[in-house]
Amino acid sequence: MAHPLVREYINESVGGGQGMWPLDWFQKAYPGRRFWNAMSIGCGTGALERDLLQRNLVDRIDACDASVQSLKIARETAATEALAERVHYFEADFNVLDLPT
């Protein structure tokens, strides 16, 4: 999602053609909406999850990725931003995902 053309496509698709970052669009469309839990599949280095937590859109997130290196970066970055207790990162194969209950 980091490539500018991919980001533009996502922003246009999710942002209702307004070219907004999806979380900006969501907060505008649903002001005050908040969730207890979220699940992120393919979290990479965790930028989206940290943004959700910093905006207080969700209390806690379970996030998985197939890349151990990406998860290491996600955990380290969440810790430096004081978000580590609110996000649980775990390695998973997306084709046979066994989700926690």
Side-chain angles (χ1 to χ4, degrees):
M1 293 189 329
H3 190 281
L5 292 176
V6 174
R7 169 66 50 220
E8 181 181 342
Y9 176 79
I10 291 169
N11 291 355
E12 287 292 324
S13 298
V14 177
Q18 300 173 24
M20 298 175 75
W21 169 241
L23 295 183
D24 291 333
W25 172 85
F26 182 86
Q27 286 186 299
K28 182 179 175 185
Y30 304 98
R33 183 77 167 131
R34 191 150 191 256
F35 300 89
W36 293 334
N37 297 305
M39 176 71 205
S40 178
I41 300 171
C43 65
T45 58
L48 177 64
E49 295 73 29
R50 290 190 309 277
D51 195 14
L52 282 165
L53 292 169
Q54 289 166 343
R55 292 170 183 255
N56 283 315
L57 287 172
V58 65
D59 292 331
R60 187 177 182 295
I61 300 175
D62 290 304
C64 68
D65 201 275
S67 169
V68 175
Q69 185 60 33
S70 291
L71 291 169
K72 180 178 186 271
I73 294 167
R75 284 186 190 103
E76 290 170 354
T77 307
T80 64
E81 296 178 9
L83 300 170
E85 292 183 14
R86 295 175 60 199
V87 61
H88 169 244
Y89 292 108
F90 63 99
E91 181 185 359
D93 178 344
F94 310 147
N95 295 306
V96 289
L97 192 56
D98 184 22
L99 299 175
T101 54

